[in-house]
Amino acid sequence: MEPVIRVEHLKKYFATPGGPLHAVDDVTFSIEAGKTLGVVGESGCGKSTLGRTIIHLHESTDGKIFLDGRDITRLKGKELRQAREKMQIIFQDPYSSIDPRKTISSTVMEPLKVSGRYSRKEIADKTAELMSLVGIDERLRLAYPHELDGGRRQRVGIARALALDPKFVVCDEPVSALDVSIQAQVLNLLKKLQQDKGLTYMFVTHDMSVVRHISDDICVMYLGQVVEKCPSKELFAMPLHPYTKALLSAIPSTDIDNPTKREILKGELTSPINPKPGCRFAARCPFATEACEQPQVQEEVSPGHFVRCCRIREVN
Amino acid sequence: MPDNNKTQLPFLDIKDLVVEYVSDGEIVHAVNGVDLHLERGKTLGLVGETGAGKTTIAKSILRILPDVGAKICGGQVHLDGENLLELQEVDMRKIRGNKISMIFQDPMTALNPVQTVGDQIAEVVHLHLEHGDHTDPVARAKEMLEIVGIPAERYHEYPHQFSGGMKQRVVIAIALACNPDLLLADEPTTALDVTIQAQVLDLIGDLRKKYNTAMLLITHDMGVVAQVCDDVAVIYAGTILEYGTKRQVFKHPTHPYTIGLFGAIPDMNEDEEWLHPIDGLPPDPTNLPKGCAFSPRCPYATDECRKEPIKIYKTPDGHDCRCCRMGAIAKKEG
């Protein structure tokens, strides 16, 4: 079956005074219908930019994007608008991604109006349906965002993203601004909606316990590149890339009898502006050698498990 | 202050602290009778969700609540036997940054963007120089930079030239420059990535050990608490619901809210189809329930819970739990 989303050698560079910033650099993957791809990495690694580039909020620098097998990389005008209906995004911050001067219902119905496909009556019906779908009380129809807590606001963002029945939704850190008890409510909602509507998600987050819970496959990004990609369970059971290992070991465990043995990484992310051709993690990597100064290729080490590291056999 | 008082009280002793804010003519009950205690060299984790009153407690200890709108209505905060709430402002100023210092949550806003990072550290040292003390603030600032792992050559750089993790290290250097006895750390790693969080937590731990500093760690991350703290207090709507050693609270969580909080975190070791959120929302702090603040969301609540404020009960392993149905719940859930 054709995957819903497929990207090939996708690149997004931003021009900066210091040279091109490689936000997304040569990323290749696909997501099957109804599945969730988790994208993890530290701030500045390009995970949000990747999501935004796929749905054309940024124009890609190079590479190809396929939606349902159709190349949508260079679409313009009306065709682009039609393709965009199928791809939506839920933003991180429910406080800044909703217009504070619009009522909840007018925020939810805006995509319906813009599409121009629905009559007034249909818009009203569909808005009510969407609000009940995400669990917002009918009485809040005319409320403004400031009257709502973070969890409810995020539900409004979800309703708006689902208004036009998309196939593919980029969830860009949708729960990181929420408290744990509310976070669980929203994660359950996202999962239920996926099952009911057969949605395909790309779930961007820095929270490893959340990504483990929600994803089928996981991509680990470091400075614009995917360093490891494999099924979610396998990543946690058998991480292969040195960065993934360090990332997983840094998660503070709630098990007080088995405190995590942390591999403390030295240094921090280096600049993604004009990066050197070799492995971008080499500067912090305890296993780095001269071979790491060459460009690294993505290798399929076992079925469905991709790693970008030339020393993987020595390391493991 | 009589000497015997010094020996009887814990190093930091907060008793019955009540703080209110006035907003739009309504009274926000932010902190409602909180008791906490902390010994030298120990770490107490204060855990709770947004708006539970965690930061307000820390700011009350330092007396840096906003002048307008916020009021400490009652209680005592003893540090080393001295009630901070009764001190004159001049005396309080000598304590801030010197005996007690605070690490703020967001390193991006805690630093002054138009002053070099070195000068910001030196300023604290300079302000707290005693008469006859010949410490060179600049030399001390350079030493602090090295201690937190930043080369002293970067003394003359500005905050925007630093990454988030390095900025937070500068904030830590400022907080520790005068070897405080008490460190108030308000979500010190929330704005940081996990690999950097691990570095910063390690750094704080090492420095605390070296100087025997007591720390009040405010966080919402149970994992951080598990790694760093000795004792844990769980706070909800301005009231401590459960309080004990880390082992007691993590091994035998007893209050339904604490149990719910643990249950809502996605489990790293087990696969579960659905998470277990706590239904509902935290109560409106201008209109708190008469009885237990958690009762509207509690699956075990009965009329008894809604009648009057709940007192503190002792759990079988001897820690504090503010729940009158504690015994019945334990029986029901086995």
Side-chain angles (χ1 to χ4, degrees):
Chain A
M1 210 173 74
E2 187 63 46
V4 170
I5 281 288
R6 182 154 58 90
V7 300
E8 285 177 2
H9 306 289
L10 189 66
K11 289 179 187 164
K12 174 66 201 173
Y13 296 171
F14 292 102
T16 70
L21 184 152
H22 295 219
V24 174
D25 209 353
D26 193 16
V27 169
T28 299
F29 63 76
S30 57
I31 317 175
E32 306 283 333
K35 298 285 185 198
T36 300
L37 174 73
V39 179
V40 293
E42 299 180 82
S43 50
C45 72
K47 51 193 194 305
S48 290
T49 306
L50 174 63
R52 289 171 187 218
T53 306
I54 293 174
I55 64 166
H56 285 243
L57 287 184
H58 297 309
E59 201 175 330
S60 54
T61 308
D62 196 14
K64 284 199 166 6
I65 305 164
F66 297 88
L67 175 69
D68 272 336
R70 175 171 170 235
D71 186 351
I72 57 162
T73 323
R74 295 282 168 248
L75 290 188
K76 293 264 182 295
K78 199 177 159 201
E79 281 188 313
L80 175 59
R81 264 181 55 183
Q82 282 170 351
R84 266 188 176 155
E85 283 187 11
K86 298 281 157 232
M87 310 182 289
Q88 294 293 330
I89 182 165
I90 300 165
F91 292 98
Q92 169 169 11
D93 183 0
Y95 296 85
S96 61
S97 60
I98 301 177
D99 189 336
R101 306 213 296 182
K102 273 194 178 141
T103 61
I104 299 311
S105 63
S106 57
T107 294
V108 174
M109 71 171 66
E110 190 170 13
L112 299 167
K113 279 189 178 162
V114 171
S115 82
R117 278 194 272 131
Y118 301 97
S119 71
R120 239 194 214 174
K121 168 101 183 24
E122 283 169 327
I123 290 176
D125 290 349
K126 238 178 149 332
T127 306
E129 191 188 311
L130 282 163
M131 287 181 50
S132 85
L133 187 70
V134 299
I136 304 172
D137 226 352
E138 172 67 24
R139 73 187 160 82
L140 292 172
R141 202 166 45 92
L142 297 177
Y144 286 90
H146 75 266
E147 298 172 61
L148 270 56
D149 63 282
R152 287 220 186 84
R153 275 185 233 206
Q154 200 52 295
R155 286 172 196 265
V156 173
I158 294 170
R160 176 177 61 183
L162 297 184
L164 293 173
D165 286 317
K167 293 191 91 160
F168 174 60
V169 181
V170 174
C171 307
D172 188 0
E173 304 256 16
V175 296
S176 41
L178 308 176
D179 282 314
V180 268
S181 72
I182 308 297
Q183 172 179 311
Q185 295 176 2
V186 173
L187 286 173
N188 278 352
L189 172 67
L190 286 171
K191 207 160 179 183
K192 172 136 197 330
L193 291 169
Q194 179 172 44
Q195 289 181 353
D196 293 351
K197 294 178 165 283
L199 295 169
T200 305
Y201 287 151
M202 174 170 154
F203 200 99
V204 176
T205 181
H206 66 275
D207 187 325
M208 300 302 285
S209 62
V210 167
V211 82
R212 182 184 180 281
H213 174 78
I214 200 131
S215 313
D216 297 294
D217 290 309
I218 296 179
C219 265
V220 182
M221 281 186 81
Y222 192 82
L223 284 180
Q225 295 185 326
V226 174
V227 294
E228 186 158 1
K229 176 184 180 266
C230 67
S232 168
K233 271 186 197 156
E234 203 170 317
L235 186 87
F236 284 87
M238 200 179 54
L240 294 178
H241 195 283
Y243 175 64
T244 316
K245 288 172 188 260
L247 188 66
L248 293 182
S249 84
I251 311 165
S253 155
T254 51
D255 184 350
I256 55 171
D257 287 331
N258 298 303
T260 25
K261 279 216 179 58
R262 285 180 287 171
E263 277 175 50
I264 305 278
L265 284 175
K266 293 217 178 71
E268 301 176 33
L269 272 81
T270 41
S271 163
I273 296 172
N274 259 332
K276 291 198 194 101
C279 171
R280 300 204 174 152
F281 181 58
R284 298 171 80 188
C285 181
F287 306 101
T289 62
E290 270 173 32
C292 304
E293 287 165 23
Q294 301 301 317
Q296 307 286 309
V297 280
Q298 185 165 308
E299 191 187 342
E300 188 164 9
V301 290
S302 61
H305 198 146
F306 299 88
V307 186
R308 194 189 281 262
C309 174
C310 62
R311 305 242 314 134
I312 171 170
R313 282 177 190 84
E314 291 86 343
V315 168
N316 291 288
Chain B
M1 194 59 58
D3 263 345
N4 58 354
N5 204 354
K6 253 188 185 179
T7 49
Q8 278 166 10
L9 285 177
F11 176 61
L12 171 70
D13 185 70
I14 302 177
K15 268 221 163 62
D16 207 20
L17 182 68
V18 179
V19 186
E20 290 173 356
Y21 293 96
V22 178
S23 137
D24 292 337
E26 285 181 308
I27 296 173
V28 176
H29 300 276
V31 179
N32 309 306
V34 159
D35 295 344
L36 293 172
H37 43 86
L38 178 59
E39 295 294 353
R40 273 180 203 273
K42 295 282 181 198
T43 298
L44 168 65
L46 187 57
V47 189
E49 299 183 78
T50 318
K54 308 184 295 280
T55 302
T56 303
I57 292 175
K59 288 188 170 172
S60 307
I61 297 172
L62 270 177
R63 287 186 29 203
I64 50 168
L65 289 165
D67 288 336
V68 180
K71 200 173 151 220
I72 300 178
C73 304
Q76 293 152 5
V77 177
H78 282 97
L79 183 78
D80 219 357
E82 192 172 27
N83 189 352
L84 300 180
L85 300 186
E86 284 168 357
L87 287 183
Q88 295 291 319
E89 180 58 28
V90 226
D91 298 319
M92 198 60 217
R93 225 182 266 171
K94 287 184 194 144
I95 288 179
R96 288 185 201 122
N98 194 14
K99 276 184 102 170
I100 311 177
S101 58
M102 185 154 172
I103 300 174
F104 292 92
Q105 173 169 6
D106 184 1
M108 321 298 159
T109 53
L111 293 172
N112 183 347
V114 295
Q115 198 180 12
T116 65
V117 294
D119 283 349
Q120 296 188 49
I121 304 171
E123 186 180 18
V124 197
V125 183
H126 178 76
L127 283 175
H128 291 293
L129 277 184
E130 299 273 330
H131 224 51
D133 184 347
H134 295 295
T135 313
D136 175 11
V138 174
R140 174 71 180 151
K142 287 188 172 162
E143 184 189 334
M144 282 314 296
L145 278 175
E146 293 280 351
I147 288 176
V148 299
I150 299 173
E153 299 97 84
R154 303 195 65 177
Y155 181 100
H156 297 288
E157 290 185 18
Y158 290 89
H160 75 266
Q161 293 168 289
F162 285 63
S163 68
M166 289 179 101
K167 272 187 239 182
Q168 191 61 306
R169 276 187 244 166
V170 173
V171 173
I172 292 169
I174 294 173
L176 295 176
C178 292
N179 295 337
D181 296 324
L182 173 64
L183 184 60
L184 307 172
D186 187 2
E187 309 254 11
T189 57
T190 306
L192 307 176
D193 291 309
V194 274
T195 60
I196 311 297
Q197 165 171 293
Q199 288 175 2
V200 169
L201 287 180
D202 256 35
L203 174 70
I204 297 178
D206 288 348
L207 296 175
R208 271 190 48 247
K209 242 179 252 155
K210 204 162 147 195
Y211 300 113
N212 202 27
T213 312
M215 176 159 83
L216 178 69
L217 176 73
I218 294 170
T219 181
H220 64 270
D221 188 330
M222 287 294 199
V224 171
V225 173
Q227 302 235 315
V228 177
C229 297
D230 301 296
D231 291 337
V232 186
V234 180
I235 186 168
Y236 185 80
T239 308
I240 305 285
L241 296 186
E242 188 156 1
Y243 191 4
T245 65
K246 174 171 75 184
R247 179 153 291 274
Q248 288 169 333
V249 174
F250 275 68
K251 285 290 163 189
H252 307 284
T254 309
H255 197 283
Y257 175 65
T258 318
I259 297 172
L261 214 51
F262 277 113
I265 309 170
D267 195 318
M268 288 298 281
N269 302 312
E270 259 168 69
D271 292 315
E272 28 184 18
E273 173 79 11
W274 301 105
L275 296 173
H276 310 284
I278 302 174
D279 286 337
L281 298 168
D284 175 2
T286 61
N287 183 21
L288 289 175
K290 217 167 127 203
C292 171
F294 185 60
S295 60
R297 302 172 77 184
C298 181
Y300 308 100
T302 61
D303 287 343
E304 193 190 350
C305 306
R306 300 183 190 102
K307 245 180 1 216
E308 55 190 4
I310 311 294
K311 62 178 179 107
I312 293 170
Y313 295 83
K314 281 277 175 213
T315 66
D317 68 2
H319 73 274
D320 293 347
C321 177
R322 209 180 274 276
C323 176
C324 58
R325 304 253 307 134
M326 190 178 83
I329 296 167
K331 223 178 260 168
K332 201 166 148 192
E333 302 288 321

